[in-house]
Amino acid sequence: MANRIGFKEFIKHLGKDQELQLIVDANVIIAARDKNHKDHRTVREFLSELSSITQQATLFTTVTTKSEFLEYYRRKILTEGILEIYNRNKDEQIISKAVKQEIENQVRARNQRQKREVEKQERIEQLLVSHSIDTTEIEIEEFSVDANYFKDSEIKAIKKAFRGRDVGKETGWLKFCESVLLSKLHGLEKLLDELCHYLTTRDEVSRQYFTRAEVEWRMATQICGETGMGYSDAMILNMANHTSIKYIVTLDFDLVYGGHVSAKDKILITPTDRLKGYKTVLRHM
């Protein structure tokens, strides 16, 4: 029997004020907050329907999820801040010509990625339509986050073009980060800390759900090696396997695939329109 269920099906069978515990991955938390994320509406609808039925749902995650979440928003906030200071520079010169040129270089690189992502999705959709497949009911392709925001290497290239500190009216990188990034990142960390409990035997709420006194960290390596899934996802499954918590909410194919092999007693909750594709891939496993 498949250990996965769609968002819609899960909500349909949820009891009024039912008490439940849910492990959530980084992509779910990110999509819930970022309006630019392709799954923003899907996740927001799921969480809204969940909270309308029960206020007894407790969310759990891992410290690796915290790292992924804050890294995503570091790139998002810096991208938006860099584009803002570039536009402000048109009225008042607050960045050097070298910084301006480097930003333009990296914007072109990002725009090329966006173009390739759109073209890739269009090609896939055209192929499916040519085989008389209704694409309105299936997930075509995840739109890469790299298409929206600067990659880390691009941020580093822009950072190198900045002076470290302010010189006259020219903004330095340290002042830029202080004004654009610092407080927002602290705010997002606090938000995540209040939203979820971290799966650790040191957390008072999490502790009661652990089925073993000690976490066997090497088991994450075993899980990673079994299916080739990302190590941070393997750590989520490993932590889940050390607890009695039944449900994992995810947007990640790797977690669904890995859960099918390495966490058979857990239920993976994922967008309903992806179930058909997962069934095809996992049918004979």
Side-chain angles (χ1 to χ4, degrees):
M1 183 177 177
N3 64 335
R4 54 191 177 276
I5 186 171
F7 282 175
K8 294 177 182 177
E9 292 74 20
F10 180 79
I11 291 295
K12 183 178 179 181
H13 293 96
L14 191 62
K16 182 67 176 175
D17 289 325
Q18 178 179 337
E19 185 175 326
L20 74 157
Q21 297 78 42
L22 302 168
I23 297 172
V24 292
D25 74 4
N27 287 324
V28 171
I29 304 170
I30 289 167
R33 287 196 54 80
D34 187 359
K35 293 180 180 179
N36 292 328
H37 197 288
K38 65 179 289 294
D39 291 311
H40 175 72
R41 181 180 295 180
T42 300
V43 172
R44 293 288 291 188
E45 287 178 356
F46 170 73
L47 294 177
S48 177
E49 291 174 350
L50 179 70
S51 63
S52 70
I53 297 172
T54 180
Q55 295 294 313
Q56 304 299 316
T58 306
L59 302 183
F60 297 87
T61 194
T62 66
V63 291
T64 56
T65 292
K66 181 176 187 174
S67 175
E68 289 181 59
F69 175 77
L70 292 178
E71 170 60 13
Y72 178 94
Y73 272 96
R74 178 189 74 92
R75 288 177 52 198
K76 179 181 187 296
I77 294 166
L78 284 176
T79 297
E80 293 170 346
I82 288 167
L83 295 178
E84 180 186 3
I85 199 172
Y86 175 83
N87 288 327
R88 284 170 50 206
N89 188 66
K90 295 174 183 177
D91 298 323
E92 180 185 7
Q93 188 171 345
I94 52 177
I95 56 175
S96 68
K97 292 181 179 179
V99 172
K100 178 178 178 292
Q101 183 61 58
E102 192 59 53
I103 292 174
E104 290 172 351
N105 291 343
Q106 303 310 330
V107 166
R108 281 193 291 271
R110 186 203 62 169
N111 290 347
Q112 279 296 111
R113 284 198 305 281
Q114 289 180 331
K115 182 180 178 182
R116 287 195 296 269
E117 284 289 326
V118 170
E119 290 173 346
K120 180 175 67 175
Q121 292 195 347
E122 288 176 347
R123 285 196 301 271
I124 294 172
E125 188 163 1
Q126 288 168 3
L127 179 63
L128 293 173
V129 170
S130 71
H131 287 80
S132 301
I133 298 174
D134 183 3
T135 60
T136 61
E137 296 299 325
I138 64 174
E139 191 71 25
I140 299 298
E141 180 78 15
E142 282 196 24
F143 197 87
S144 171
V145 63
D146 287 334
N148 289 327
Y149 309 124
F150 290 134
K151 296 193 294 185
D152 186 51
S153 60
E154 293 164 348
I155 292 172
K156 286 178 180 175
I158 294 170
K159 179 179 181 179
K160 289 176 182 177
F162 270 84
R163 296 178 188 269
R165 299 188 181 279
D166 294 3
V167 176
K169 291 184 178 181
E170 184 183 323
T171 303
W173 182 258
L174 296 181
K175 185 63 175 292
F176 169 72
C177 287
E178 181 184 351
S179 62
V180 169
L181 180 64
L182 187 58
S183 63
K184 289 182 180 179
L185 215 53
H186 277 303
L188 287 164
E189 183 179 31
K190 182 180 179 182
L191 180 147
L192 186 61
D193 290 347
E194 293 173 350
L195 178 67
C196 302
H197 291 277
Y198 295 103
L199 287 173
T200 168
T201 53
R202 294 187 297 274
D203 180 81
E204 186 176 341
V205 175
S206 297
R207 189 184 305 137
Q208 61 185 303
Y209 298 106
F210 276 84
T211 55
R212 306 180 199 180
E214 299 290 335
V215 176
E216 296 181 45
W217 296 107
R218 289 180 179 271
M219 288 304 298
T221 305
Q222 174 70 21
I223 292 170
C224 175
E226 286 174 346
T227 63
M229 70 189 306
Y231 203 83
S232 60
D233 290 333
M235 290 185 72
I236 293 175
L237 280 187
N238 185 44
M239 292 299 284
N241 284 340
H242 280 75
T243 74
S244 60
I245 299 174
K246 185 177 182 181
Y247 297 109
I248 303 173
V249 187
T250 182
L251 302 176
D252 197 306
F253 169 73
D254 249 6
L255 265 177
V256 175
Y257 194 109
H260 183 78
V261 174
S262 307
K264 294 181 182 295
D265 63 334
K266 305 300 178 184
I267 304 296
L268 284 296
I269 307 170
T270 196
T272 298
D273 59 8
R274 298 183 188 178
L275 289 176
K276 187 176 180 180
Y278 292 153
K279 182 179 180 180
T280 300
V281 173
L282 301 172
R283 181 179 296 161
H284 301 298
M285 294 176 61

